[in-house]
Every structure is written in structure tokens, then in C-alpha cells.
Amino acid sequence: MVAYVIIPGIDGSDGQHWQTLWERQWGTSAVRISPASWSAPDLDDWVGAVQKAYDDASQRASRVVLVAHSLGCWAASTWLNKNPSSPTVGAFLVAPPDPHEPVFPRQAAATFMAVSAQPLPCPALVVGSANDPYCTPEAAAGFAARWEARWHLAGACGHLNSASGLSSWQHGRELLDSLTQQ
């Protein structure tokens, strides 16, 4: 049995986002983070929310997987590096934004500006898009290398969010399954 910690990006994932659709499918096996600072993200608040969700998820199942999108990738990686001995099965990191890109929400997410990709203590898979406005494929591949994660380019899918029209994103589920079956 696996439990999933859902870590959306800024403002959370809407009802048509693949994370929300997966969460509904997983039912009680999924726990979404609940930071107080959804719209003006504070890294410490988000990392604390990951901890709380992880604690809840680990009571539901012995195997926990982090499923992060966008800014949530940085909250997940920061939490993992602060908790290297957590028995996390894996981290699925989709569309991490590049804090050095001009479109990064510098004012809203100022505490995320100093994040850096460091080796993760569990298996991880980074999924990027060829035309993500928040991160070039080269930058995302670089994050994957520094996280010591596998890298997958999903094609031209924008920011891999609800605007990308992915619906329940079957290809993403297959990628997640490949991570958790290692």
C-alpha cells in the first residue's frame, strides 16, 4: 500500500489539474498539503505543510510518495533534504520553475528565490516540458541532474497544469508507476 503527498504549486491545483484528479482517484491514500500561504508562498510554511501531510500519509501506509508540481517541487526537495532519513519511496517532481527565469513570481514567492537543487535522499523523477514558460528543458534537466533524479521530457505541454489540457494525464501516471516500482 502506498500513500501520496500531493504538493501543488502556487494557489494549489484547481479541479481540472491532474494532481486533483489523481487525488480523487486515490481517495484516502492521498494527503494534500495545506500551507497558510498558498498565494504568497513562504518556503518554511510550505515545508512545514509537507511535514504535516507526510506525517498523516505515513500513518495511512508504510510507503509514501511525494507528488509535486511547479513551486511544490522546491518545497518537496527542501523537505527531503531536511529529512534525509524519512522512508520516502520516491519524489515525482513535475515542472519545477526556474527561480532565475524572469517570469518566476519573485515578489509573491520571495522565500523560494534562494532554493538550490541538491542530491535527494530517495529515488526521484523530474518531468519537464519543451515549452514550459517557467523553465527551459535545459534548466529542468539540470535540476534533475543536481537532484540525482531521472529526467523525462514530456513534449510540448506548457507548464503541465490544467491549462495544458492533460486531464487525468495517463502518461504521467505511467511515469509515476515506473518510479514507485523501482
Side-chain angles (χ1 to χ4, degrees):
M1 182 86 174
V2 175
Y4 302 92
V5 174
I6 309 295
I7 311 168
I10 196 167
D11 289 326
S13 297
D14 65 30
Q16 298 307 307
H17 195 287
W18 58 268
Q19 277 184 315
T20 303
L21 298 174
W22 291 3
E23 181 181 5
R24 286 184 198 140
Q25 291 172 356
W26 289 327
T28 59
S29 295
V31 181
R32 180 181 290 245
I33 68 166
S34 298
S37 60
W38 271 125
S39 297
D42 175 77
L43 183 59
D44 289 338
D45 177 41
W46 282 41
V47 170
V50 172
Q51 181 66 58
K52 186 173 187 229
Y54 178 85
D55 291 344
D56 189 1
S58 64
Q59 291 177 6
R60 298 173 189 215
S62 59
R63 299 173 39 139
V64 177
V65 176
L66 306 183
V67 179
H69 177 258
S70 193
L71 208 57
C73 296
W74 291 110
S77 66
T78 301
W79 181 83
L80 283 163
N81 283 314
K82 289 183 176 196
N83 296 278
S85 61
S86 71
T88 306
V89 174
F92 188 64
L93 308 172
V94 178
D98 185 346
H100 304 293
E101 281 291 315
V103 295
F104 187 84
R106 285 175 168 72
Q107 289 183 329
T111 59
F112 283 76
M113 293 295 298
V115 294
S116 65
Q118 300 169 20
L120 297 176
C122 67
L125 173 61
V126 177
V127 181
S129 169
N131 61 344
D132 187 337
Y134 298 100
C135 189
T136 66
E138 295 79 16
F143 297 146
R146 290 191 299 282
W147 278 325
E148 296 181 358
R150 289 184 10 231
W151 161 244
H152 179 82
L153 184 61
C157 302
H159 192 48
L160 294 157
N161 56 10
S162 27
S164 301
L166 299 171
S167 189
S168 61
W169 195 29
Q170 184 59 38
H171 181 63
R173 283 296 294 271
E174 293 165 2
L175 292 169
L176 176 63
D177 290 346
S178 75
L179 172 67
T180 59
Q181 294 171 5
Q182 287 185 7

